[in-house]
Amino acid sequence: MDAEETVVKRDIWIAAPRERVWGAITNAETIMQWWGDTWIIPKLEVGGGIKFGRPGSMIQATIAVLDPPRQFSIHWPPQPNYQAENAYTIFDLAEENGGTRVTVSETGYEALSGAERQERLNRTGSGYTMVLANLKSYVESHIQDVS
């Protein structure tokens, strides 16, 4: 399986300005409204820590790229029972047709065996399809509240 096949990539168009969408994906309180899990982002800066998950099973990550309002990238170090390699989640935001195209990509599945990798790619892809739909719904219904 080549590297192209080990990347989960999903996108969605949102009827809102890029700056509004940026606020929704970089503010921990807002993320929890559309993602569902707990997010802790004490300081929005490259190298800043992130905690993600549910109480009792939080995983830690760092902000790898912060290019407002274009790209937000998170580095996930190897996690027990999740991935054996470094993983990256990248949110790219592009202005498109008076709104914003959000593309999320995630890597870090290369060390998994074929069947396990495919199952994880499918599960992660389905998850991102759902959270992007939640993001769209949240931003479009709270467009005045998101900053």
Side-chain angles (χ1 to χ4, degrees), residues 68-91:
R70 294 170 196 81
Q71 190 180 82
F72 179 52
S73 177
I74 303 166
H75 168 238
W76 305 94
Q79 305 287 328
N81 303 317
Y82 193 69
Q83 91 272 356
E85 295 185 358
N86 289 304
Y88 290 88
T89 303
I90 303 164
F91 291 89

Side-chain angles (χ1 to χ4, degrees), residues 4 20 27 39 41 70 80 90 118 136-138:
E4 190 79 18
R20 299 264 189 211
N27 177 292
W39 285 78
I41 306 174
R70 294 170 196 81
I90 303 164
Q118 193 57 53
K136 177 181 177 70
S137 176
Y138 180 83

Side-chain angles (χ1 to χ4, degrees), residues 50-54 57-61 76-77 79-80 82-83:
I50 292 176
K51 290 184 181 179
F52 162 79
R54 291 188 163 77
S57 64
M58 300 290 283
I59 57 177
Q60 296 186 9
W76 305 94
Q79 305 287 328
Y82 193 69
Q83 91 272 356

Side-chain angles (χ1 to χ4, degrees), residues 10-110:
R10 298 291 186 272
D11 67 59
I12 198 162
W13 182 84
I14 299 174
R18 186 165 56 175
E19 291 75 14
R20 299 264 189 211
V21 178
W22 176 261
I25 68 167
T26 58
N27 177 292
E29 292 300 317
T30 305
I31 296 169
M32 291 188 288
Q33 298 299 311
W34 56 269
W35 191 285
D37 288 312
T38 298
W39 285 78
I40 301 170
I41 306 174
K43 193 164 186 180
L44 193 62
E45 65 183 12
V46 172
I50 292 176
K51 290 184 181 179
F52 162 79
R54 291 188 163 77
S57 64
M58 300 290 283
I59 57 177
Q60 296 186 9
T62 57
I63 298 171
V65 175
L66 192 62
D67 182 14
R70 294 170 196 81
Q71 190 180 82
F72 179 52
S73 177
I74 303 166
H75 168 238
W76 305 94
Q79 305 287 328
N81 303 317
Y82 193 69
Q83 91 272 356
E85 295 185 358
N86 289 304
Y88 290 88
T89 303
I90 303 164
F91 291 89
D92 284 307
L93 284 67
E95 293 178 349
E96 181 181 298
N97 298 324
T100 304
R101 170 78 47 195
V102 178
T103 303
V104 64
S105 307
E106 187 165 287
T107 63
Y109 305 99
E110 294 78 10

